[in-house]
Amino acid sequence: QRGILRPDGERLAGFDGMKKDHVAQDVALAAASDARLAHVTVGDSVRIGLLQIAALFPGISRSGITMVGGLWRGLSHEDAARFAFLLATPVILAAGVLKLPSLAGSAGDDIHGQVAVGFVICGITAYISIRFLVKYFETKTLTPFAIYSLIIGLASIAHFA
């Protein structure tokens, strides 16, 4: 018999099935979102991507401005968040590939283990963060993030001006 044990020794046989159903539901939601994102035009993608230039200003987040652009182009909160993360993937991958030769060479001597551990931890943390944010944006808005960005931006301008 499958399942996990309760403190009284009885098995919760339905737990495995619930987990499988939950994973299947997540996969179905992701597939539906992918289908909706496939209908975003190249022009809209370029417009949303160009908004990332605004992230050069203090307090403006690259992913935040990309999500705002997605919302302006008619995407749902969840789809805008997924699009922002998908748009970041090639840039992050390219930055990592660009940095790898220096880490593998003499500049990376004596830190290969730390780099490997950092790579794994960053991957796990990124996965958890993205999963949380996509779930958050299914029901919530960007307002708290916008307020935070505004405060940090104004503080940065005041501090560095």
Side-chain angles (χ1 to χ4, degrees):
Q1 177 151 355
R2 296 182 46 140
I4 56 175
L5 286 176
R6 293 190 323 205
D8 63 2
E10 291 293 317
R11 292 198 176 271
L12 295 174
F15 181 77
D16 289 337
M18 288 184 339
K19 181 69 175 162
K20 289 176 186 171
D21 290 344
H22 185 63
V23 169
Q25 182 183 13
D26 284 351
V27 169
L29 289 173
S33 180
D34 288 347
R36 289 188 303 270
L37 289 177
H39 289 60
V40 175
T41 66
V42 172
D44 282 345
S45 297
V46 169
R47 287 179 192 93
I48 295 168
L50 286 174
L51 284 174
Q52 294 180 87
I53 295 169
L56 295 172
F57 297 108
I60 297 182
S61 161
R62 187 215 51 82
S63 59
I65 197 71
T66 305
M67 286 186 256
V68 168
L71 293 172
W72 282 345
R73 302 312 300 168
L75 296 177
S76 69
H77 284 86
E78 178 188 1
D79 290 343
R82 285 178 57 83
F83 189 80
F85 295 127
L86 289 171
L87 197 60
T89 303
V91 174
I92 293 169
L93 180 63
V97 168
L98 186 64
K99 193 67 177 169
L100 268 178
S102 67
L103 290 174
S106 62
D109 286 347
D110 301 321
I111 64 165
H112 293 115
Q114 292 93 325
V115 170
V117 170
F119 176 81
V120 170
I121 290 172
C122 286
I124 292 168
T125 304
Y127 175 78
I128 292 169
S129 299
I130 291 170
R131 197 170 158 89
F132 166 77
L133 286 172
V134 168
K135 289 283 187 194
Y136 177 85
F137 290 126
E138 286 176 6
T139 58
K140 308 223 177 8
T141 67
L142 292 172
T143 303
F145 185 70
I147 293 168
Y148 160 80
S149 294
L150 181 64
I151 291 169
I152 296 300
L154 293 173
S156 296
I157 290 170
H159 179 72
F160 295 112

